[in-house]
């Protein structure tokens, strides 16, 4: 089964830059697009990155996404961290049968 | 503005069937451009995709739940539904309905907590 692995938690200070990784278990992560969702406590997730590196309207350009085929991983980078960025972040992609697969989620603490 | 709203019982007994409905407003489930999806999140845990239905009625389910899941669409009511049979405590979760634009989940319901308990 295709799986996406994320670190359980990351932390960084306001104004700094943080990167969250998402590693595919098999095959090439570049074979299917990767999306990133932000979820604040008690709320539904919202999209911050889709199709590896695109931002929906309204998402600040402090959020960026990329793919590294050499490590079979995707990354979400948030620059100029703000306290409001503190949330859980989930990567999402597809397996070979077009089933949706989510990573386990990463808790971002901005301290 | 597209809105999705989940509805259904908040408490289900073990071995029974969980049934939820998602009502869509501001958009049509008949649109051929979207997958209408269910996603769940156990308390304190991550997101799990359950499956989706296309406007034509074609479906795609999470293999780990496939034997217990039915997702259907009712175009006359602009709704889609989830049925999960033989539930156990492990099925306790917040259940979200969401629209998949075929690029990303662009609209989500607020989520509804379903507890499995006798």
């Amino acid at each position: 089964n295709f799986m996406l692995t994320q670190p359980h938690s990351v932390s960084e200070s306001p104004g700094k830059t943080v990167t969250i990784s998402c590693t595919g278990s098999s095959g090439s992560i570049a074979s299917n697009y990767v999306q990133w969702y932000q979820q604040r406590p008690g709320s539904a997730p919202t999209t911050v990155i889709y199709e590896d590196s695109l931002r929906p309207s309204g998402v600040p350009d402090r959020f960026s996404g990329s793919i590294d085929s050499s490590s079979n991983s995707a990354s979400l980078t948030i620059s100029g961290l703000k306290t409001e960025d503190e949330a859980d972040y989930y990567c999402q992609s597809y397996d070979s049968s077009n089933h949706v697969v989510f990573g386990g989620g990463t808790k971002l603490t901005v301290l | 503005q597209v809105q999705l709203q989940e509805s259904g019982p908040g408490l289900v007994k073990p071995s029974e069937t969980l049934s939820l409905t998602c009502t869509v407003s501001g958009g049509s489930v008949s649109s051929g451009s979207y997958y209408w999806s269910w996603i769940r999140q156990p308390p304190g845990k991550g997101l799990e995709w359950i499956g989706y239905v296309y406007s034509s009625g074609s479906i795609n389910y999470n293999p780990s739940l496939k034997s217990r899941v039915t997702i259907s669409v009712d175009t006359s009511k602009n709704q889609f539904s989830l049925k999960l049979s033989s539930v156990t405590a492990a099925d306790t979760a917040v259940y979200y309905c969401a629209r998949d634009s075929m690029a990303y989940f662009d609209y989500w319901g607020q989520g509804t907590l379903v507890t499995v308990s006798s």
Side-chain angles (χ1 to χ4, degrees):
Chain A
N1 291 351
F2 179 66
M3 296 173 55
L4 296 169
T5 300
Q6 301 179 233
H8 287 114
S9 63
V10 296
S11 61
E12 191 49 271
S13 303
K16 299 292 190 179
T17 296
V18 70
T19 297
I20 299 171
S21 62
C22 171
T23 302
S25 62
S26 60
S28 172
I29 201 166
S31 298
N32 292 291
Y33 285 126
V34 175
Q35 283 62 243
W36 289 91
Y37 299 89
Q38 176 192 69
Q39 186 180 33
R40 295 190 175 102
S43 296
T46 61
T47 309
V48 292
I49 293 290
Y50 70 100
E51 293 183 355
D52 298 341
S53 61
L54 301 180
R55 287 187 308 277
S57 174
V59 174
D61 61 6
R62 300 185 298 105
F63 290 82
S64 62
S66 64
I67 298 291
D68 181 353
S69 296
S70 65
S71 59
N72 207 39
S73 65
S75 294
L76 171 68
T77 299
I78 310 172
S79 61
L81 273 170
K82 301 183 177 184
T83 55
E84 67 202 47
D85 298 330
E86 189 163 289
D88 294 327
Y89 291 85
Y90 294 89
C91 60
Q92 175 257 309
S93 189
Y94 305 90
D95 68 13
S96 57
S97 299
N98 204 35
H99 300 131
V100 172
V101 178
F102 286 101
T106 299
K107 180 178 180 60
L108 169 62
T109 302
V110 182
L111 36 66
Chain B
Q1 175 76 345
V2 176
Q3 293 185 316
L4 289 80
Q5 178 67 57
E6 305 89 351
S7 59
L11 181 64
V12 181
K13 290 182 169 55
S15 80
E16 295 189 345
T17 296
L18 177 159
S19 295
L20 295 174
T21 296
C22 183
T23 301
V24 179
S25 58
S28 173
V29 297
S30 300
S31 169
S33 303
Y34 306 105
Y35 297 126
W36 302 96
S37 304
W38 289 96
I39 296 159
R40 70 180 183 179
Q41 185 171 36
K45 297 188 178 181
L47 301 169
E48 180 179 33
W49 174 73
I50 299 171
Y52 67 65
V53 61
Y54 191 55
S55 56
S56 64
S58 62
I59 52 175
N60 194 6
Y61 297 148
N62 185 324
S64 68
L65 298 170
K66 184 176 182 178
S67 64
R68 299 193 292 130
V69 171
T70 303
I71 298 176
S72 59
V73 64
D74 186 338
T75 55
S76 66
K77 295 181 179 179
N78 214 31
Q79 297 174 334
F80 61 105
S81 299
L82 167 69
K83 292 187 185 300
L84 182 65
S85 64
S86 305
V87 297
T88 69
D91 295 309
T92 293
V94 173
Y95 285 77
Y96 294 101
C97 58
R99 189 180 84 169
D100 182 349
S101 68
M102 300 185 187
Y104 60 97
F105 294 104
D106 58 353
Y107 289 97
W108 298 65
Q110 65 185 24
T112 186
L113 174 63
V114 179
T115 301
V116 179
S117 175
S118 56

